[in-house]
């Protein structure tokens, strides 16, 4: 469940990062919301970060990041910080071609992935997706391990639902990347 850490206090991204490095709290308008993942959702996210990362590395496209990397998505709102379950950032997005030393990124990933856990509320998942798209993420994948399906949502507003026989495509973000949806759920 996404319960606030302290309802009466709000934080900036910097304050939250310094306060609690053991848990993964997102910030929405300064209010901390804890993110938790089920074992199955974590396995799916791991499979995706490994596949996306290997593909990106082998083609020199950029870097894939796991669930513990936060993004300060809105320059005009220092009290928001989002943690996609998987993300991909193009190599040329990094200032001076270097990986930042801060605890979060201040630029927008090209791909954000949400792997839905049984405790995730639909409205919260939708809010994350909306935030990613509003911030300029080009491609969002929302994966539902329990339903064994995925949604592809693009910056232009178009979307597609994929069943187990469908394939996630990197489209123009990761050209040539293909991964069968059903392969994400092996063993679940």
């Amino acid at each position: 469940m996404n319960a606030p850490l302290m309802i009466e206090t709000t934080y900036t991204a910097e304050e939250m990062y310094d306060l609690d490095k053991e848990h993964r709290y997102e910030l929405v308008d300064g209010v901390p919301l804890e993110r938790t993942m089920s074992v199955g959702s974590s396995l799916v996210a791991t499979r995706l970060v490994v596949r996306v990362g290997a593909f990106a590395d082998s083609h020199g496209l950029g870097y894939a990041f796991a669930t513990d990397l936060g993004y300060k998505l809105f320059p005009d709102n220092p009290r928001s910080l989002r943690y996609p379950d998987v993300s991909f950032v193009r190599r040329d997005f990094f200032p001076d071609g270097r990986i930042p030393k801060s605890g979060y990124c201040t630029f927008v990933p090209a791909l954000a992935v949400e792997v839905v856990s049984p405790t995730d509320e639909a409205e919260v998942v939708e809010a994350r997706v909306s935030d990613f798209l509003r911030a300029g993420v080009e491609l969002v994948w929302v994966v539902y391990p329990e339903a064994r399906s995925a949604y592809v949502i693009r910056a232009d507003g178009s979307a597609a639902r994929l069943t187990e026989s469908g394939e996630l495509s990197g489209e123009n973000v990761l050209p040539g990347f293909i991964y069968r949806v059903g392969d994400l759920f092996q063993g679940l």
Side-chain angles (χ1 to χ4, degrees), residues 167-186:
E167 294 179 325
L168 288 169
S169 166
E171 301 184 10
N172 62 339
V173 171
L174 290 162
F177 177 85
I178 300 288
Y179 193 55
R180 191 175 151 284
V181 173
D183 292 344
L184 291 170
F185 312 123
Q186 287 181 354

Side-chain angles (χ1 to χ4, degrees), residues 52-126:
V52 168
F55 183 87
D57 285 346
S58 69
H59 291 83
L61 298 173
Y63 306 98
F65 294 97
T67 188
D68 55 350
L69 179 62
Y71 291 87
K72 190 174 172 184
L73 294 172
F74 307 104
D76 59 334
N77 186 352
R79 297 189 181 276
S80 289
L81 184 67
R82 289 290 192 184
Y83 286 81
D85 295 321
V86 178
S87 58
F88 166 75
V89 179
R90 288 189 180 95
R91 186 178 305 275
D92 60 345
F93 274 35
F94 290 98
D96 303 322
R98 296 182 184 171
I99 303 292
K101 292 184 180 186
S102 70
Y104 52 83
C105 286
T106 56
F107 46 85
V108 179
L111 168 69
V113 181
E114 286 298 312
V115 182
V116 179
S117 290
T119 57
D120 285 339
E121 297 174 4
E123 293 83 5
V124 174
V125 173
E126 181 63 27

